[in-house]
Amino acid sequence: MERVKWPDIKPPVAIKKPHIRAVHGDSVTDDYYWMIDFFKKGADSNEVVQLLTRENEYLDQMMADTKALQEDLYKEMRGRIKEKDEHVPYFRNGYFYYTRSEEGQQYYKLCRKKETLAAPEEIVLDVDAMAAGHAYYNVAGMSVSPDNNWLLYGEDTISRRQYNIMLKDLRTGVVSPQGISNTSADYVWATDSKTFFYISNHPVTLLSEKVWRHTVGAPAANDVMVYHEVEQNNYIGLSKSKAENFIFIESANFTNSEVRYLPADQPESAFELFQPRMEKVLYSVDADRERFYITHNKEALNFKISTTDFDQTAVSKWVDLIAHRKEVLVEQLLLLKNYIIVKGRKNGLDQIEILEKGREQARLVPFDDAVYMASLGTNANYNATRLRYNYGSPVTPNSVYDYDLKTGQAILLKQREIPSGYNKSDYEVERLFAQAADGTRIPVSVAYKKGFKKDGSMPFLLIGYGSYGFSYPTYFNSNLISLMDRGFAYGIAHIRGGQEMGRQWYEDGKMMKKKNTFTDFIDCARYLIQEKYTSPQHLYANGGSAGGLLMGTAANMGNTLFNGIIADVPFVDVVNTMLDPTIPLTTNEYDQWGNPETSSEAYFYMKSYSPYENIERKPYPNILATTGLHDSQVQYFEPAKWVAKLREYKTNSNVVLLQTNMKFGHGGASGRFDYLKEDALRYAFLLKLEGISR
C-alpha cells in the first residue's frame, strides 16, 4: 500500500565498472567496486565525490516537502536542551572539575575550582573558542598532570578519530602542539609530571600499534618507543591504576589479551609483562595500594575478579575475590581506598555491587524501574566515601546520584532539565520478551506516550545493534519524544551479539553464529506485529554501524515486515571489507566476523548474510542510508554501493535515499545542536512515510 507521494524525480544512476573477485574458487562480479576510489586515491577520485554530491541533491529534492517539518523537529529537539547548563563537579587531586555550556554555543568549557566550589573559576579549556572556524572539532583524552600544572589532550578536526597531541601550561595558558599526530586518545602521565605516554596509529590501517614515552619540552623526534604490537588484530590501550601507582599497556582482541605494567614513578624503566596472553582468555588489571586486581574470564564465562601480590603476577598466583556467577556478567571494576565496586548485569538489567574491603557480604544499589540504565559516573577521588553513578530510563531523564557508601543513602545531585517541559507520567515503558525461532527469549524495551493503541494501526520504530558484546543502553533520549508525541512507539531489541543476557549472549551472535543476531531482530519484529503493537505498514527499523549491517540483513530477510528502514553509517559490504586488510579495523575484527581470506568456511558463511551480496530482485522497504565521506570506522563506499545496487534490483516503487556528510565522519556532527539537524531529517523521513506532515 503506497502511503506517500514522492516527487517524480529519477535518482542518480551509478556507472558500472565490472570488477571480478575470485576467492576460494568463487567468482563474483562487483559492478560498484570502483566506488572505493576516494579511499584509495583521495582527492584524485572526483567521480566518487560527484556521485555522492548528486545523491545529496536527490535527497534534498525528494525530502523538499518536509523542510518545514524538519525545522519544527529541530526547534523542538533544541528546545529540550538547556543551553546554559553545568555538569555536576567531580573532585580530583585538589580540584573540582566540571564542564559548562553557554546559551547559543555548540560546545563547552572545561573548568575547575581549587579545593572548594566557592573558589574562583579557572577555565581550563574553552572548546567553544577552540572550535571556531572548524566544520568539525573534537577534544579527547584530556589528562591533567599530577602536579596540576599541565593539561594533555588530543585534537581532531577531520572526524577520523586520529588525534594531534596538544599540551597546555595551566599556569600561563600557553598551548603547545607537540608535533605528534595520528594518535589514539589514551594519554597517561608519569608521577613526575614531566613524562607522558601515548599510542601512535598506523597511518593507513589506523591500527593502534606503538606506545611511546615523551618528555615535556623535548622534541618528538626524541620520543622512545616502549612497546610495539606486531599482531594485526589487536587494539592497544593505555591506562593508570586507580591508586595512580601503576601505568598499564593492554593489548587485546576479541578473544585474548595481555597486560604490561610499570611503576608510575619509574617512567624510564621497562614495562614488565603481567601474564603472557592465554588462548581464549581476556584479562585486565587495576591496583590499589596493596595488590593487583584482575578481571578475567579464565574458566569463568561471565568473568570474575581475582587478586595477586605486586611481585606475583603469574596466573598461577591469582586468588579469587569475586567468584564466577552464571547469572551475573561482570562488566566493570572500580577500586576505591576502602571499597570495591562492580558494575554488572543480571537478567539483562544493570546492577552496581558494593563490597567493603575486609568484609565478605556485598550489597546492591537498589533500582526499581522495569527498564532502566545505570552506569558508574566519574569517580576520580580514590579516597572517596561516596559513589557517583548515572541513572535513567526511556522516560526518566538522565540523572546523577551520589551513593553514600557508609549509610547506603542515594542522593540525587541533578536530573536533566527539559526546558520546553516534560512530564514523565505522560509516557509508559514496558519490558517484553519475544521468542526466537530456536526458543530463546529476546528482551525488548518499549516506550510510548499514554494512549498508544495496540490494534496494529500505530507506527513503531524498532532499534537494534547486536555486535561486539555491546549491550544497547536503555537511556533517556529526549529527541525521541518528538516521535512519541506524534504517535510512535519505539523499542530496543536486545538481540544476541550484544551482552545483555551475559557473555554467552555475545558468543551466540558472532562468527559462525552471527545469523542469530539477524533472525532475533526479525523475530522481535514479528512478535510486535503479532501482539498488535504495529503492523508491516507501520513498522520501521533503525541501526547504525554494525547495527547498519543489521538493517541491511533486515531489508533482505524481512523485507515485507518493514515500511521503512534507516541505516546509519551501515557496515553492509562485509565480505569485500573483511578481505581488504588496508581498510581500517579489518584485521582487528577477524575474531568478530572471521577471516574470509584464510578460511573458506568464514568466507561462504559471511557471503550468505552480507547485505550487499544478498540483494535480490524483489520488493524492498523505503530506505534512508547515511554516511560520512571521512568515516574511519565504516567507509563511505559501503552504503554508496549498497544504495546503487538496491536501486538496480528492487522491484517496487519504494525510495532508496543516501545522505553523505561531506565534512564529518562516523559520529556525525560534533556540535551539540548540529547533530539535531541530522535527527530531524531522519525523523522527517519516518513521519513522511506515515503521512504526518507536522
Side-chain angles (χ1 to χ4, degrees), residues 64-76:
D65 62 342
T66 70
K67 292 298 182 185
L69 173 60
Q70 289 183 52
E71 184 62 24
D72 287 345
L73 289 166
Y74 173 78
K75 290 178 179 176
E76 282 179 22

Side-chain angles (χ1 to χ4, degrees), residues 344-373:
R345 190 175 292 271
K346 182 177 181 180
N347 194 29
L349 297 174
D350 292 319
Q351 71 173 34
I352 297 175
E353 193 172 5
I354 297 164
L355 178 65
E356 187 172 359
K357 291 180 180 178
R359 295 194 178 186
E360 295 184 1
Q361 190 66 36
R363 51 194 163 98
L364 296 174
V365 177
F367 305 119
D368 298 326
D369 291 334
V371 175
Y372 63 86
M373 180 278 304

